[in-house]
Amino acid sequence: MRLFTSVKDVTSVKPLVQEALTLKSNPYAFQDLGKNKTLGVIFLNPSLRTRLSTQKAAANLGMSVMVMNIDKEGWALETRDGVVMDGTTVEHIREAARVFGQYCDILAIRAFPGLKNRDEDYNEEIFGKFIEFSGVPVVSLESATLHPLQSFADLITIEEHKKTQKPKVVLTWAPHVKPLPQSVPNAFAEWMCKAQQEGLLDFVITHPEGYELAKKFTEGATIIHNQDEAIKGADFIYPKNWSGYHDYGKILHKGDGWMLNLERLKITNGAKVLHCLPVRRDLELGSDILDSDSSLVIEEAGNRVWAAQTVLKRMLEKL
C-alpha cells in the first residue's frame, strides 16, 4: 500500500478490519517495522483525534514522527501552476512536497475544503500534488471530500459491537449552525457501501431533500428522506451534518426534528450511536444519548489508533 485516500485503495474491507483488531490486541508486535523510519504529519487545519491517534499509531510501530502545522508554521503555499508568484504565497507546493519527501518515509496530510467552489474542492489539488511530487506513500488524514481513517475506525467499531451477523447501519443528516464539508459522510457512505457489497451489513442514508451526496459515494445505499422510517430497526446510527453538494456549501434546512435523542431510539433495534467528534451537544445530537450506554463515540475515537496503525503497517511493509 502506497496510497490511502479512499476505500478504493483497499481490495477488501473485511480482512483490513480483522487486521486492525489483531493489532489492537497486540499493539507493539511490529515495533521493529518502523525502526529508523519517519512519518511526516502535515496539518493545514485543526485536529484532535486525528493528530493524536496518528502519532500514537506511529509510535506503536516504532516510527519517529515530525508534525508541522503548515498553515501556521510554514511558508504560504502556492498550489497553482503557471503563475508568477508576486503575491502572498512564498513557496510552491512542487518544491515543498519534494522537500517533505526528502525527510520522511511516509506523509500523512490533512486539508479541508473551502466550500466555495465545488470543482476546486473535489479536484483535491493539494493531495494530488503531494502524491505526485513527494515520492513517498501518502495517507489522507482528511481531505476536501473524504476522511477514510475515520470511516475505517467506524467500521472497526461496528464489527466490535454488532449483535447480529448483518446489522442495519444508518447515516443520518443532523443539524448544525454552520455549513460543514461532505468529507465524513462521503467517506462513511463509501466504506459502508463497500462493506455492504461484502455482505457485512445493510446500509441506509437519510437526509432532508436537497442534501443528496455525490452519487459515486452512495452507490448501493438505500436513501430515505423520512428519518423515522430510516432508523426503524437500526442497529447503528451515525448522525452527521453536511452542507449541500448540488447547492454547494449551503445550509438548506433548519434541521427541525432531525436531532436524535433517547426517546427517538425506541423504534430502533437498541441502536448504538456513532459520531466522528467533535459534536455540538443538543444541536447535532442529544446529550441524553451521548451520556448513555447507547453512545459509542469514545470507543470509536479510540479505534482511530488501530485504523491508522493498520494503514501505516501496510505501508511500512512495502518500503
Side-chain angles (χ1 to χ4, degrees), residues 173-239:
W173 183 89
H176 206 281
V177 294
K178 64 179 183 178
L180 296 184
Q182 297 107 36
S183 52
V184 170
N186 281 347
F188 188 77
E190 189 181 52
W191 279 73
M192 295 305 120
C193 287
K194 177 73 169 175
Q196 182 172 255
Q197 289 171 8
E198 295 182 20
L200 302 180
L201 51 83
D202 290 317
F203 182 49
V204 176
I205 302 173
T206 184
H207 55 73
E209 292 191 31
Y211 276 109
E212 290 75 15
L213 298 167
K215 287 184 178 180
K216 66 179 179 178
F217 300 122
T218 63
E219 291 177 2
T222 299
I223 300 174
I224 300 172
H225 296 304
N226 183 303
Q227 190 186 51
D228 284 339
E229 180 185 345
I231 68 173
K232 187 175 181 180
D235 299 288
F236 296 92
I237 305 177
Y238 200 108

Side-chain angles (χ1 to χ4, degrees), residues 8-20:
K8 291 182 172 61
D9 297 317
V10 176
T11 303
S12 173
V13 297
K14 187 174 182 177
L16 195 71
V17 169
Q18 292 305 315
E19 186 173 350

Side-chain angles (χ1 to χ4, degrees), residues 83-196:
V83 297
V84 176
M85 290 174 57
D86 57 357
T88 58
T89 56
V90 178
E91 182 160 19
H92 203 283
I93 196 168
R94 285 173 171 261
E95 284 76 55
R98 287 186 171 103
V99 170
F100 276 113
Q102 293 290 304
Y103 303 147
C104 305
D105 299 283
I106 298 173
L107 289 180
I109 304 165
R110 182 180 180 99
F112 288 173
L115 288 181
K116 302 296 184 185
N117 184 308
R118 190 178 75 186
D119 290 340
E120 285 183 6
D121 287 344
Y122 274 68
N123 189 43
E124 297 285 13
E125 185 176 41
I126 289 174
F127 271 82
K129 289 189 173 175
F130 268 105
I131 291 165
E132 181 180 0
F133 298 118
S134 68
V136 298
V138 173
V139 180
S140 170
L141 301 182
E142 188 171 6
S143 70
T145 63
L146 291 168
H147 197 349
L149 282 178
Q150 177 65 57
S151 301
F152 180 14
D154 299 336
L155 192 53
I156 295 168
T157 309
I158 290 168
E159 179 64 24
E160 278 188 309
H161 293 273
K162 68 181 184 182
K163 294 181 179 178
T164 62
Q165 190 65 29
K166 196 175 181 182
K168 178 180 178 180
V169 179
V170 180
L171 168 65
T172 178
W173 183 89
H176 206 281
V177 294
K178 64 179 183 178
L180 296 184
Q182 297 107 36
S183 52
V184 170
N186 281 347
F188 188 77
E190 189 181 52
W191 279 73
M192 295 305 120
C193 287
K194 177 73 169 175
Q196 182 172 255

